[in-house]
Amino acid sequence: MKQLQSEYQCAINLVIDLIGGKWKVLILWHLNEGDKRFNELRRTIPEITKKMLTQQLRELEGHGLVKRTVFEEVPPKVVYSTTDYGRNLQPVLYGMCQWGDDYAENEGIQMNSCWTGRDFMQK
């Protein structure tokens, strides 16, 4: 797991250490839609490998943004969800998504789905 520094010059550096990279923002975005099992989450991000998804979920869990709940069943059921910290990022993620939709429209970039058209902010 990526170790956080004991001191940062700027909060943006801390945020980048927490959610930077190719996958963490997408994982948080999809978990803020609702709790998901590992394979459900993997289907929402088909480009990610099992190994990378596991690593990224562990880092997000280690930093208190994602919670892993194990249900005592046979076979065991594991569900991932966002913590309060993770849910508090949703307005920021929504803003990033909205900015991306606007940029794509202005630059003539085709989007397969328009996330900002959904009502995520009501959750």
Side-chain angles (χ1 to χ4, degrees):
M1 176 170 60
K2 182 174 182 116
Q3 295 297 314
L4 299 179
Q5 300 173 31
S6 61
E7 183 178 324
Y8 285 86
Q9 288 296 104
C10 174
I12 292 292
N13 296 107
L14 173 60
V15 172
I16 290 170
D17 276 356
L18 288 169
I19 64 169
K22 187 173 182 178
W23 304 113
K24 289 179 184 174
V25 169
L26 286 172
I27 292 167
L28 288 168
W29 179 262
H30 290 294
L31 286 178
N32 276 324
E33 292 176 325
D35 299 354
K36 293 198 176 12
R37 296 181 73 172
F38 184 88
N39 283 327
E40 286 179 281
L41 195 52
R42 193 147 173 255
R43 280 190 294 274
T44 65
I45 313 169
E47 304 86 14
I48 195 169
T49 64
K50 285 183 182 181
K51 179 182 176 184
M52 184 57 66
L53 180 56
T54 300
Q55 177 186 335
Q56 299 297 287
L57 283 167
R58 284 182 183 156
E59 285 187 21
L60 289 166
E61 183 183 9
H63 293 306
L65 300 174
V66 167
K67 179 174 71 172
R68 180 179 187 266
T69 304
V70 179
F71 295 91
E72 298 300 323
E73 300 176 359
V74 177
K77 178 180 174 182
V78 177
V79 173
Y80 294 92
S81 59
T82 50
T83 63
D84 287 341
Y85 279 128
R87 280 187 296 279
N88 288 341
L89 275 168
Q90 189 61 17
V92 174
L93 301 179
Y94 180 84
M96 289 170 61
C97 191
Q98 194 167 32
W99 183 91
D101 282 343
D102 292 343
Y103 183 88
E105 184 177 332
N106 288 336
E107 298 297 318
I109 299 169
Q110 179 67 40
M111 302 300 290
N112 291 329
S113 59
C114 182
W115 295 101
T116 53
R118 296 186 184 177
D119 199 14
F120 288 118
M121 296 304 290
Q122 299 301 316
K123 291 189 176 190

